Amino acid sequence: MPHVPRVAIVPGSFDPLTNGHVDLIRRAARLFDRVVVGVLVNAGKQPLFSPDERVGLIRDVFRDLDTVEAQAFDGLLVEFARRVGAVAIVRGLRSVADFEYEEQMTLMNRHLAPAVETVSLTPDPAVSFISSRLVKEVASYGGAIDGLVPPAVAARFRDRHTSSRKQNV
Ligand code: PNS
């Protein structure tokens, strides 16, 4: 029988991509033939980085892995899953605090698209305390974010800081 490539989606806001996300995406890439990182264009929230910047950073960080790609998506995740032919949605489960939200999302997505399975992966404990929200908070107070995000993302924060200081002088 011909091998049908198994495609998974790793969806999220990725505002910004953290080392926790990198760990998750690399784990997903070991399980699936192709991984599409889906960057939500969240009209409701006011993101720090534009969808194009977030997609560009993910492509840059995973340029060594040709089975990983990044795309922005708007609307329902299951519709995006259908469009890319995904059989699975991969999410990270860092702790019990994540569980309720993740379970609710899993069951809703299963209700909407029973054929698409959600796979929860446990990250490396060395990165399981990292969240995009806390990275932004630390950076906003001038704290060091090296080791929490890929170097390209840390550099982007530095660029932002430099340009906002220039605007203020
Ligand atoms: O990284 P996040 O912000 O926790 O990711 C949340 C995301 C993008 C997976 C979720 O908000 C989502 O799938 N949004 C798309 C809209 C949708 O399909 N909503 C119903 C899913 S229960």
Side-chain angles (χ1 to χ4, degrees), residues 11-13 40 45 73 75-77 91 101 105 108-109:
S13 304
L40 181 69
K45 288 192 209 167
F73 79 98
L76 280 180
L77 175 59
R91 294 283 292 173
Y101 171 59
M105 251 191 339
M108 180 57 79
N109 285 329

Coordinates of all heavy atoms in Angstrom, one line a residue, residues 11-13 40 45 73 75-77 91 101 105 108-109, ligand 1:
P11 N -1.1 24.1 16.5 CA -1.7 25.5 16.4 C -1.4 26.3 17.7 O -1.1 25.8 18.7 CB -3.2 25.2 16.4 CG -3.3 23.9 17.3 CD -2.0 23.2 17.1
G12 N -1.4 27.6 17.5 CA -1.2 28.5 18.7 C -1.1 29.9 18.3 O -1.2 30.3 17.1
S13 N -1.0 30.8 19.3 CA -0.8 32.2 19.0 C 0.7 32.5 18.7 O 0.9 33.4 17.9 CB -1.2 33.0 20.2 OG -2.6 32.7 20.5
L40 N -2.4 31.5 14.7 CA -3.7 32.2 14.7 C -3.6 33.7 14.5 O -2.9 34.3 15.2 CB -4.4 31.9 16.1 CG -5.8 32.5 16.2 CD1 -6.8 31.8 15.3 CD2 -6.3 32.4 17.6
K45 N -7.5 39.6 20.1 CA -6.3 40.0 21.0 C -5.5 41.0 20.2 O -5.5 41.1 19.0 CB -5.5 38.8 21.3 CG -6.1 37.8 22.3 CD -5.0 36.8 22.7 CE -5.5 35.5 23.1 NZ -4.5 34.4 23.2
F73 N -3.4 31.3 10.1 CA -4.8 30.9 9.8 C -5.7 31.8 10.6 O -5.4 32.3 11.6 CB -5.0 29.4 10.1 CG -5.2 29.0 11.5 CD1 -6.5 28.9 12.0 CD2 -4.1 28.8 12.4 CE1 -6.7 28.5 13.4 CE2 -4.3 28.5 13.7 CZ -5.6 28.3 14.2
G75 N -10.1 31.9 11.6 CA -11.3 31.1 11.7 C -11.0 29.9 12.5 O -10.1 29.8 13.3
L76 N -11.9 28.9 12.2 CA -11.9 27.6 13.0 C -10.6 26.8 12.7 O -10.3 26.5 11.5 CB -13.1 26.8 12.7 CG -14.4 27.2 13.4 CD1 -15.5 26.2 12.9 CD2 -14.3 27.2 14.9
L77 N -10.0 26.3 13.8 CA -8.9 25.4 13.6 C -9.2 24.1 12.8 O -8.4 23.7 12.0 CB -8.4 25.0 15.1 CG -7.3 24.0 15.2 CD1 -6.0 24.5 14.4 CD2 -6.9 23.7 16.6
R91 N -0.9 19.4 20.8 CA -0.8 20.5 21.8 C 0.1 20.0 22.9 O 0.2 18.8 23.2 CB -2.2 20.7 22.4 CG -3.2 21.3 21.4 CD -3.0 22.8 21.1 NE -3.4 23.6 22.3 CZ -3.2 24.9 22.4 NH1 -2.6 25.5 21.4 NH2 -3.5 25.6 23.5
Y101 N -8.5 23.5 30.1 CA -8.6 24.3 28.9 C -8.4 23.4 27.7 O -9.1 23.3 26.7 CB -7.6 25.4 28.9 CG -7.4 26.2 27.7 CD1 -8.4 26.9 27.1 CD2 -6.1 26.4 27.1 CE1 -8.2 27.7 25.9 CE2 -5.9 27.1 26.0 CZ -6.9 27.8 25.4 OH -6.7 28.5 24.3
M105 N -11.0 22.2 24.7 CA -10.7 22.4 23.3 C -10.7 21.1 22.5 O -11.2 21.1 21.4 CB -9.4 23.1 23.2 CG -9.5 24.5 22.8 SD -8.1 25.4 22.3 CE -6.7 24.6 22.9
M108 N -14.3 20.0 22.0 CA -15.0 20.8 21.0 C -14.5 20.5 19.6 O -15.3 20.4 18.7 CB -14.8 22.3 21.4 CG -15.5 23.2 20.5 SD -17.3 23.0 20.4 CE -17.8 23.8 21.9
N109 N -13.2 20.4 19.4 CA -12.7 20.1 18.1 C -13.1 18.7 17.6 O -13.4 18.6 16.4 CB -11.1 20.3 18.1 CG -10.7 21.7 18.1 OD1 -11.4 22.6 17.6 ND2 -9.6 22.0 18.7
Ligands
PNS1 O1 -1.4 29.2 22.0 P1 -2.9 29.4 22.3 O2 -3.3 30.8 22.3 O3 -3.3 28.6 23.6 O4 -3.7 28.6 21.1 C1 -5.1 28.6 21.1 C2 -5.6 28.1 19.7 C3 -5.1 29.0 18.6 C4 -5.3 26.7 19.5 C5 -7.2 28.3 19.8 O5 -7.5 29.5 20.2 C6 -7.8 28.0 18.4 O6 -7.8 26.9 17.9 N1 -8.4 29.1 17.8 C7 -9.1 29.0 16.5 C8 -10.6 29.2 16.7 C9 -11.2 27.9 17.0 O7 -11.2 26.9 16.2 N2 -11.9 27.8 18.1 C10 -12.6 26.6 18.6 C11 -11.6 25.7 19.2 S1 -12.1 24.9 20.6

